[in-house]
Amino acid sequence: MRADALLYPAPEGLYCPEGGFYVDPVRPVERALVTHGHSDHARPGHVNVLATRQTLDIMRLRYGDGFCASEQAVGFNEELLVNGVKVSFHPAGHVLGSAQIAIEKNGTRIVVSGDYKRRPDPTCAAYVPVACDVFITEATFGLPVFHHPDPMDETGKLLASLRQFPERTHLVGAYALGKAQRVIRLLRDAGYGEPIYLHGAMEKLCDYYVGEGIDLGELLPATIESRDRSAFKGAIVIGPSSAFADRWARRFNEPLPAFASGWMMVRQRAKQLGVELPLVISDHCDWPELTETIRELHPAEVWVTHGREEALVRWCQLHGIKAKPLHLVGYEDEAD
């Protein structure tokens, strides 16, 4: 069947009329298939939600037990029929539980990648390429200028700063789901064995990752009231970047603000956020990884969702691949 009859953009999100479901809908719907737990993709209020067990757990942690009326967990590579449409979930490598969703009917297969990354990350299942007729890709960093460095090199910058400024508390801004845990794991893999302190907003999700077998080492709450301030000299504190602009951050010893994001390649963004130590660590593909993925899959058609859509569409067209932007709204890229 025609791909644009099997799945197409609607105000609520990508809609499959044959299956009667939406993928990552931005408003409450009867049946939602959810790729991962970030709040712009996983929203509360749907009647039925189908997702990986870890994504469902994360939604429950973030929104409470009543985040939907009913839920169904699906394993990676497990095939299900939803009103006669075959669906299956495959690792996306973005955050814990993140999945690409393959949708198939009458010989046409569309893969909705959600958010994905290709670089190694021990805090989540690695991306797996899934053959398809149509590949739906994000383009958060969909411009040729974006070439992300090795995340271990960026971690080395943080450790070098700790050695250079042993009296200063290094405050690392990171998104609570995925990025915080990845930064912690990178530090451990680089040999940092000291306790890492967490803002309260990070604790539940870090506890969940640990419960899922992700070793994050010793984590302690970044609570100043119950601890001598000198304990934070030369320490690493991880929290949401928003917290570093308030009085909480100024309680630490000579705080040095850092931020882990692919957007730290853009100096103006780092300057606007008051970031002294930008760490270019992204949970999305950069330009070479986006184009290499498309080359590897070699789909008949590419649909580009949120991000820098036009540049990637143009690249596909120049390489003989039919492509179009979907112009979906409601998906943010600021949290990377």
Side-chain angles (χ1 to χ4, degrees), residues 26-98:
V26 297
R27 59 182 74 167
V29 298
E30 180 72 22
R31 184 179 297 277
L33 277 58
V34 176
T35 60
H36 66 282
H38 280 148
S39 57
D40 57 335
H41 291 257
R43 301 173 192 250
H46 307 307
V47 178
N48 305 289
V49 173
L50 177 65
T52 65
R53 177 187 60 80
Q54 291 168 330
T55 293
L56 292 170
D57 289 345
I58 288 166
M59 292 180 73
R60 188 174 298 104
L61 277 174
R62 307 190 94 182
Y63 302 128
D65 289 334
F67 72 88
C68 68
S70 72
E71 62 186 73
Q72 182 179 354
V74 58
F76 286 136
N77 305 312
E78 179 183 352
E79 292 185 349
L80 298 174
L81 283 178
V82 180
N83 296 327
V85 175
K86 185 191 295 184
V87 300
S88 55
F89 286 58
H90 307 269
H94 181 55
V95 298
L96 193 62
S98 62

Side-chain angles (χ1 to χ4, degrees), residues 120-165:
D121 179 359
T123 68
C124 65
Y127 170 91
V128 174
V130 180
C132 55
D133 302 292
V134 176
F135 183 58
I136 301 182
T137 180
E138 54 134 321
T140 301
F141 294 104
L143 290 174
V145 68
F146 288 114
H147 287 240
H148 295 148
D150 186 326
M152 284 303 292
D153 290 344
E154 297 300 290
T155 306
K157 291 180 183 178
L158 175 56
L159 295 176
S161 182
L162 282 170
R163 292 190 295 270
Q164 185 177 1
F165 304 106

Side-chain angles (χ1 to χ4, degrees), residues 91-92 100 111 116-119 126-135 137 285 287-302 312 315-316 319 321:
Q100 307 168 83
V111 169
Y116 66 105
K117 74 171 179 288
R118 303 297 303 265
R119 304 205 180 189
Y127 170 91
V128 174
V130 180
C132 55
D133 302 292
V134 176
F135 183 58
T137 180
C285 291
W287 177 262
E289 290 163 331
L290 289 168
T291 56
E292 287 164 16
T293 299
I294 294 168
R295 279 197 182 102
E296 179 182 7
L297 293 174
H298 198 64
E301 194 168 346
V302 172
L312 193 56
W315 180 91
C316 290
H319 288 79
I321 302 169

Side-chain angles (χ1 to χ4, degrees), residues 22 36 64 80 86 90 93 98 106 127 155 171 183 202 205 209-210 213 225 240 257 263 275 300 313 319 330:
Y22 294 85
H36 66 282
L80 298 174
K86 185 191 295 184
H90 307 269
S98 62
N106 295 341
Y127 170 91
T155 306
L171 305 181
V183 168
M202 303 287 173
L205 284 166
Y209 268 65
V210 171
E225 288 78 5
W263 291 113
V275 174
V313 167
H319 288 79

Side-chain angles (χ1 to χ4, degrees), residues 305-323:
T305 63
H306 53 292
R308 279 71 196 156
E309 298 175 335
E310 300 297 341
L312 193 56
V313 167
R314 180 62 177 155
W315 180 91
C316 290
Q317 293 169 343
L318 289 172
H319 288 79
I321 302 169
K322 187 178 179 183

